[in-house]
Amino acid sequence: MADSYYDPADLRKFGKISEWSEELGTKFFDYYGKVFEEGALSAREKSLIALAVSHVVKCPYCIDSYTKDGLEKGITKEEMMEAVHVGAAIEGGATLVHGVQMMNKYNKLSM
């Protein structure tokens, strides 16, 4: 029995998703690989972005993977934490801006 719902060993099984849908799995991994190639953004920058997004979408597998990847690419713990805070700020702002929707609805219903 695992100590948590997310078993870190399952990350190594990620490639197996193609076994149940080979065509879509292959297309996804081709796309995924292409996205992380050097381009207008460096692989290091993409890793840092991926780490921040991993926290926003709350993916423990991604957090583990991109923390390790970031370390391998020379990203410091301070850079990682700052990226996490950027993600948190955007997520918090996105939540709060929806308060405008609530305010509009409240005003409409309370007339």
Side-chain angles (χ1 to χ4, degrees), residues 34-50 66 69 73 75 79:
K34 194 75 172 160
V35 165
F36 283 95
E37 289 178 2
E38 293 275 340
L41 296 172
S42 69
R44 185 182 190 279
E45 291 168 323
K46 289 179 180 186
S47 183
L48 198 53
I49 292 167
Y66 286 101
D69 188 65
K73 288 180 171 53
I75 298 172
E79 290 172 310

Side-chain angles (χ1 to χ4, degrees), residues 17-49:
I17 64 165
S18 295
E19 291 177 3
W20 288 18
S21 180
E22 186 175 350
E23 179 185 358
L24 293 176
T26 298
K27 287 180 180 185
F28 170 77
F29 286 115
D30 288 346
Y31 167 76
Y32 193 88
K34 194 75 172 160
V35 165
F36 283 95
E37 289 178 2
E38 293 275 340
L41 296 172
S42 69
R44 185 182 190 279
E45 291 168 323
K46 289 179 180 186
S47 183
L48 198 53
I49 292 167

